[in-house]
Every structure is written in C-alpha cells, then in structure tokens.
Amino acid sequence: MPTTAPYGSWKSPITTNLIVSGAVGLGQVVLDGPDVYWVEMRPVESGRMVVVRQTAAGEIVDITPEPFSARTRVHEYGGGAFLVDGGTVYFSNFSDQRLYRQDPQETPRPITTDSHLRYADGVMDRVRWRIVCVREDHTGEGEPVNAIVSVNCTGNGPQEILCSASDFCSTPRISPDGSTLAWLAWDHPNMPWDGTELLVAPFDQQGRLGQAQVVAGGKTESIFQPQWSPSGELHFVSDRSGWWNLYRWRAGEVQPLISLEAEFGKPQWVFGSATYGFLSRKRPGDGVACSYVDRGVWRIAMLNPEDGALNEIETPYSEMGRGELQASDSRVVFVAGAPTEPMTLVSWDAATGEHEVLRQAHNLEIDSGYLSVPVAVEFPTGRDTTAHAFYYPPKNRDFSASAQEKPPLLVQSHGGPTGAASMALDLAIQFWTSRGIGVLDVNYGGSTGYGTEYRRRLNGVWGLVDVDDCVNAARHMVQRGDADPERLAIDGGSAGGYTTLAALTFRDTFKAGTSLYGVSDLEALTKETHKFESRYLDSLVGPYPERQDLYQERSPINHTHLLSCPLLLLQGLEDQIVPPNQAEMMFDAVRAKGIPTAYVPFEGEQHGFRRSENIKRALEAELYFYSRVFGFDLAEHIEPVTIENLPS
C-alpha cells in the first residue's frame, strides 16, 4: 500500500544525480554514405559537443577528440556546426570559432585563422571542392556582418563572399548538378518565422553567383528548409496558407505538395533543422519522408509529391525536438521522443518498416509507476479564445496524499517565446511529479505547432497574452480540482523567464516563481542583446525607441512595487543573450522590498545550463526554495539556498 504523505515530500528515485548520469543532448544529424553522424552535448564533460559516428557495421565511435567542441556561435544559438564528406569531418570549434578539418584517423587541423569569423550551416560544393556556408563577421564596429561564403577545404586560398545583400542568411543548398545555389535571406526587424525570401542564383565558371531570383517568400511569408530533390527540383516549407506546409518549385512555378492544417516546419532558432528528406534517387515521384505537428503532437509520414498522399509511419514517437530528420535511399534517420521515451536517435528502414534505436538521451530504466504521462489540456483564455497545455499529474507508486489535500502546481512557460512545449520524456519534469508536485507545461498564444495565426497572437502583446494564458491555465487547473490555489508556482527560462517575472509582478495568481536567465528589463534587452534578436521585440512589443512607453510599462524591473510573492533567480554569468545584470537588477530590487528572494549565479554557463553540476544545482535550488515557501518537508538532504527576507 502506498504511504500517505503530503504532496512535495514524497521520496523519489528520480534524483538529480540520476538525471545527469549518462545524459546527453542529441543534435544535428548527418548522413555520409552508410554512416550516420550526430552531435552529443555531454553535461559530464562541461557541456562539450562531440561528433559521433555509427558505421555500417554498427560500431559507434567518438569523432571529436578533447578538448575540441563542435559548436558554433553564429546567431549565438548556433546549430549546423559540422558537415561530413567522404568520412572527412569539418566542424566549428567552440573555443576559437575556427573551422577545422578532421580526416579519418587524424587530428583536427584549422582551415580558418581568424577567431572573429564564425561559421555555420555548411555544405560541400563537390564541383569546386569547397565549403559553402554562413559566415558571421565580428571584426568590424557595430553589428556583425552575415554572408554566404566559400571556404577552401584545405585552408589554402582566400575566402570568397558569395552573397551579403541581407542582414541575415541561412540554409545555403547546392543543386545536385552543382549549377545553382538556393538560400534564405531576411532583414531587420524580421525574425525568420516572420518573413524570409527564398532565392536561387546560378554559379558562373569562376564559382561566383549570378543574378539572384526570388522563388518565394517576403516580409510576411516564412520559408523554412529549402532542399533540392535528387532529381534537381527545389522544395521548401512555407506558411503562405496559414500553416507551414510543403511546396516545390517546378518549371518556374510554386506548387503545393499538400494542404493540411498542420505544421511541417519549425521556428529557425538554430541552423541545420530539417523536417523532411528524400528517400530515393531514382524518380521525381518517389517518396518524401517528413514530420509534422498536429495540435502539439508530432508524426512521421511518407508523402507522395505527385498526388499528395500522406501515409503515417507507425512509431512510438510524438515529439521531434528542434527538427532533426535526414533521409537517404531507403532509410530515414531522425531524433524523436515520447511521453515515456527520451529524445532518441532512430533509423527507420523504408523497405522493412522496422526502426532501430541508435542512441538515447539517456538509457535509464525507470519503473512506469514513477512516470507521469501528460494529458493535453485546452482551456479558455482572454480575447474569447482558447490556449493549450500539457498537464503532468503527481505520480509516485510509493506515495499518495490525503483526499483533503490538493497538490502544488508548477506552471512552466517555455522559452522563445516563439517555441513550444515538448512532449518527450523529461526527467526534470518527472523530478517534480514524482515528489507530488503537478506540472502544467503551457503552449501560450505565440507558440508554434498550431498554425500561423496562433503563432502571431503574441505580436505586439508579449507580456500580456503569454501571461494571461499562464494565469488562466493555472486557474483552469484549480477549477478542475487539480491544484491548490495557495501553492501555485511558475517558472521559465529566457523568454519564459520574462513571462514568469511578468506574471509574478502584474498578476496575483501565483504564490512563488523561478526565473532562469529571464528578462526583467525590456529596454536593457533591446539595447544589449546580440544581432539576431536585436529587433525581435519590434514585433513582440513595438518599435524602439518609438514605443519606449510599452517597454517601460511591461518591464517587471520598473514595477517591483507590485510584486508580493517569493522569487528565485538562476543565471549564467557568461550569458550573451540575456546578460546577468537582468537577474542582478531584479534581485536587488526584490530584496530591497523585503520579499523572500534568492539569487544563484553559475560561473562558466551561458544561455542555458550545460554542466552536470549546474543542472543538478538549479533543480535542487528550486525544490528547496518551494519547500521553504510552501512549507513541505523534503525527503532528501539538499544543499540550502540563501533566501533573503524569509521569515523564520
């Protein structure tokens, strides 16, 4: 029989040591002949990014030797940090941002010299034996300059700028015959999910680009993942219909491959994301392997581009993360997860219909009696609309609470804010639910996966719509009887940290909260952040400084007199996206007001925590904080956090 104990005090086998033990983050997937390559982010190696290969014989080996780390800082978020050609790996090294060439069985050697030049999203130009990639130039004054360039594979010879006409560019892709380049471009103040242009241009005999032609896109049409089919037809994802659907460019015309109220694209926060690929090299009508999201649930399918038939592939997975799908001949390799499965690298055989697990984010065997499975929740919110969330009820086979007690609820606000909550097994969520604390992961208005109109709900009203949706989500759970109204907490990282701070400052629903590297001062953010996001708030809030009033009005730091509940702040000290002074200013203001508050800085961390010891400390600090605020005993010893102004 389960032991009766108060919510929050349940003893759980899902400890922070377990969470970081052997855990990795799975990233960019590359196919090179029969070999599969991917990137692993390893917390136990201080967040080092390692390129890993599985050979045709099934042998898995690390490619990137210490102390190298395959991570680029283009756009600060990176992605697309390596490419492979015939077993030779080219990668951007994090510490110096130089490109390195690593031949089989050899030590990496640099092929670029200036650490102020950053590289990402490269492809091999086999006709001219060079790399074509995105370069971000930090050598001059003011904003860095982004361009598509060519880099000699051996490091000999000068680099050549192929295109630099726009503020941003991404996804350079060369046609199979090597004659044409396709790429995406956009300008301030747009983000790539607002509007981009898809351009093509021919190479001349010297390998330079000729006159560019706009195939699709514009200031209000978002294009994602241009890719050439094996037969030489350009495909891409566009939201021109109100949903990110698949299209192709044939005989000078854009043709839809499918019309579905579902999303085949992702917000382009990182380089190298892919949601579709081509299986066969035989005929134009052969299948397109693709993934798409329908009301928060991802599916994998085969699409016939000639008749639009979409046939779902049966897998146990329902989450695709940042978008990692590659196809070649008769197999599809992708990263996916599910509520009871962590993010997993999978190879699917189109001939047999069978799938093979190549790698998991962790391979822990956890009894299902400790795992909470999310339930999709749709709830009423402001403006006579509804919003979405995933609810994880408390679950621990060894414990139950008294019938008279309602559980605490932790509302989570995802980052972005142009992003989405994940349905993959997340032990950090199970950390809470297995201790008796419910979790509600909110896909507030502005989230992706529900169409363009839903994604644009946040335009001009960041700090209002997202806050209303998180507040109404919590109230909905209280009305259902699933949460204690006196023990409602909210947390979030980055943009989710801003939503957290705004909810605690401008509303009185939540009784405590935690901001992880969150924004407290919108004016400071727009002045101090990096180029990629420097005009992001134009669409989310309004143009600056013309609408300075809105920035001041919605910045929690300017209204701490309204905040009356305990606040925990967790911050990386090397964060270039949300600088540490954002958290420090908020901490000083809240402490001066006499409200219980704590600030935990992390040396060596940037935007997000990558080191195992810091991932552990952040989770434990938050649990300790809530235990003191909400008054429940902990089942295990946790290093205390110094909480200012906490009544004894």
Side-chain angles (χ1 to χ4, degrees):
M1 289 290 294
T3 300
T4 301
Y7 290 114
S9 67
W10 299 352
K11 185 174 178 60
S12 169
I14 303 175
T15 64
T16 54
N17 281 331
L18 182 77
I19 290 172
V20 300
S21 175
V24 299
L26 297 174
Q28 182 186 357
V29 177
V30 173
L31 304 183
D32 183 52
D35 296 341
V36 182
Y37 293 77
W38 65 92
V39 166
E40 293 184 3
M41 190 281 288
R42 296 179 177 172
V44 296
E45 296 183 33
S46 298
R48 192 169 76 94
M49 307 288 278
V50 181
V51 177
V52 182
R53 180 186 70 204
Q54 187 200 51
T55 67
E59 180 185 13
I60 295 179
V61 294
D62 286 357
I63 299 299
T64 311
E66 293 186 290
F68 295 99
S69 180
R71 180 182 169 198
T72 177
R73 289 186 60 184
V74 178
H75 291 180
E76 295 299 339
Y77 292 101
F82 81 101
L83 67 145
V84 188
D85 186 75
T88 296
V89 177
Y90 303 86
F91 69 92
S92 175
N93 183 47
F94 180 68
S95 64
D96 59 12
Q97 289 300 292
R98 296 165 70 185
L99 272 180
Y100 283 74
R101 172 175 175 151
Q102 186 176 1
D103 292 298
Q105 313 304 319
E106 298 290 335
T107 301
R109 57 185 179 87
I111 59 172
T112 64
T113 58
D114 193 336
S115 62
H116 294 93
L117 300 176
R118 305 173 181 180
Y119 305 88
D121 212 8
V123 293
M124 182 60 66
D125 182 354
R126 291 187 177 90
V127 173
R128 302 156 193 91
W129 290 110
R130 60 183 183 175
I131 296 168
V132 174
C133 61
V134 174
R135 188 184 75 183
E136 191 171 81
D137 184 348
H138 289 253
T139 58
E141 296 292 330
E143 281 192 338
V145 177
N146 294 67
I148 293 174
V149 303
S150 64
V151 179
N152 187 281
C153 295
T154 64
N156 297 320
Q159 296 181 18
E160 184 167 354
I161 295 176
L162 299 177
C163 176
S164 61
S166 302
D167 291 327
F168 301 96
C169 50
S170 75
T171 333
R173 297 296 182 259
I174 300 172
S175 61
D177 63 4
S179 67
T180 309
L181 182 73
W183 72 96
L184 296 179
W186 66 99
D187 292 309
H188 285 312
N190 267 9
M191 299 298 286
W193 45 85
D194 295 323
T196 54
E197 287 186 333
L198 170 58
L199 300 104
V200 296
F203 288 111
D204 64 19
Q205 291 184 344
Q206 288 73 41
R208 301 184 182 92
L209 287 180
Q211 182 66 39
Q213 174 184 355
V214 177
V215 171
K219 292 184 178 180
T220 59
E221 179 184 356
S222 173
I223 307 296
F224 172 82
Q225 195 197 340
Q227 186 168 335
W228 300 91
S229 71
S231 62
E233 289 186 326
L234 183 60
H235 291 63
F236 59 94
V237 174
S238 167
D239 71 345
R240 59 175 56 189
S241 70
W243 300 83
W244 268 321
N245 276 194
L246 269 165
Y247 295 80
R248 72 177 165 209
W249 188 47
R250 172 181 280 183
E253 293 185 355
V254 172
Q255 302 175 349
L257 296 188
I258 191 169
S259 179
L260 192 67
E261 290 190 352
E263 303 267 64
F264 290 77
K266 300 279 292 184
Q268 195 182 160
W269 281 105
V270 296
F271 293 98
S273 293
T275 57
Y276 71 94
F278 302 95
L279 273 179
S280 175
R281 299 180 182 276
K282 297 178 182 179
R283 303 181 309 275
D286 284 338
V288 178
C290 59
S291 57
Y292 64 96
V293 60
D294 180 8
R295 301 181 69 82
V297 178
W298 281 89
R299 294 177 171 85
I300 300 168
M302 289 298 302
L303 172 66
N304 186 323
E306 300 309 319
D307 62 12
L310 188 70
N311 297 308
E312 186 175 344
I313 298 171
E314 291 296 327
T315 76
Y317 305 106
S318 55
E319 173 59 48
M320 291 294 290
R322 51 163 262 178
E324 296 291 354
L325 184 150
Q326 298 292 330
S328 176
D329 296 328
S330 63
R331 68 172 173 172
V332 184
V333 180
F334 55 89
V335 177
T340 57
E341 296 286 339
M343 295 305 288
T344 302
L345 180 65
V346 181
S347 178
W348 179 75
D349 190 318
T352 65
E354 297 179 353
H355 68 271
E356 173 191 4
V357 171
L358 306 184
R359 185 75 161 100
Q360 287 190 309
H362 62 77
N363 55 5
L364 303 172
E365 294 292 335
I366 300 174
D367 189 297
S368 61
Y370 300 107
L371 295 181
S372 178
V373 176
V375 177
V377 176
E378 187 171 348
F379 57 91
T381 188
R383 308 159 309 283
D384 296 323
T385 59
T386 60
H388 305 271
F390 297 116
Y391 174 57
Y392 297 79
K395 186 175 182 182
N396 185 318
R397 71 175 193 181
D398 302 325
F399 291 91
S400 62
S402 69
Q404 289 72 40
E405 185 185 7
K406 300 296 183 184
L409 179 70
L410 176 60
V411 171
Q412 296 197 325
S413 173
H414 65 71
T418 308
S422 170
M423 284 189 67
L425 175 61
D426 184 348
L427 293 184
I429 289 179
Q430 305 298 328
F431 174 85
W432 299 107
T433 57
S434 61
R435 285 167 171 77
I437 298 173
V439 173
L440 188 66
D441 210 354
V442 181
N443 272 325
Y444 48 80
S447 300
T448 58
Y450 302 90
T452 305
E453 182 180 350
Y454 195 86
R455 190 173 76 244
R456 291 178 178 168
R457 274 192 194 180
L458 212 54
N459 286 1
V461 285
W462 189 34
L464 301 177
V465 165
D466 49 321
V467 171
D468 284 344
D469 289 355
C470 287
V471 165
N472 288 325
R475 290 174 176 171
H476 180 72
M477 301 311 292
V478 169
Q479 292 170 358
R480 290 193 351 173
D482 291 314
D484 181 350
E486 298 305 314
R487 293 188 293 177
L488 298 176
I490 181 172
D491 75 5
S494 189
Y498 167 68
T499 300
T500 293
L501 293 172
L504 297 176
T505 302
F506 301 117
R507 307 287 191 277
D508 59 5
T509 298
F510 297 103
K511 308 307 179 183
T514 299
S515 169
L516 297 92
Y517 38 93
V519 179
S520 63
D521 186 338
L522 294 177
E523 277 195 280
L525 178 67
T526 198
K527 293 175 183 177
E528 298 172 359
T529 195
H530 57 121
K531 177 185 177 182
F532 180 61
E533 290 186 273
S534 64
R535 301 289 300 277
Y536 189 16
L537 301 196
D538 280 32
S539 62
L540 294 176
V541 181
Y544 186 86
E546 294 88 340
R547 294 311 311 268
Q548 185 181 33
D549 59 319
L550 294 179
Y551 286 75
Q552 294 177 345
E553 179 182 309
R554 297 185 200 167
S555 293
I557 191 65
N558 297 332
H559 305 278
T560 53
H561 63 283
L562 299 175
L563 197 151
S564 60
C565 66
L567 171 65
L568 172 64
L569 297 136
L570 307 173
Q571 177 70 43
L573 292 179
E574 296 182 11
D575 194 337
Q576 298 297 313
I577 296 172
V578 179
N581 66 335
Q582 292 271 319
E584 292 160 0
M585 288 188 299
M586 197 71 188
F587 174 64
D588 290 340
V590 176
R591 178 175 56 180
K593 195 181 178 206
I595 297 171
T597 184
Y599 173 51
V600 183
F602 295 92
E603 291 188 6
E605 291 287 10
Q606 296 177 311
H607 198 61
F609 304 145
R610 296 172 177 269
R611 300 183 178 187
S612 57
E613 64 271 21
N614 295 335
I615 295 170
K616 288 176 52 179
R617 179 59 174 154
L619 268 174
E620 291 179 353
E622 190 172 358
L623 177 61
Y624 179 86
F625 187 76
Y626 295 149
S627 74
R628 296 299 308 277
V629 170
F630 292 146
F632 56 81
D633 295 327
L634 295 174
E636 65 256 85
H637 172 74
I638 288 178
E639 180 184 349
V641 174
T642 300
I643 305 176
E644 305 281 350
N645 304 322
L646 185 70
S648 57

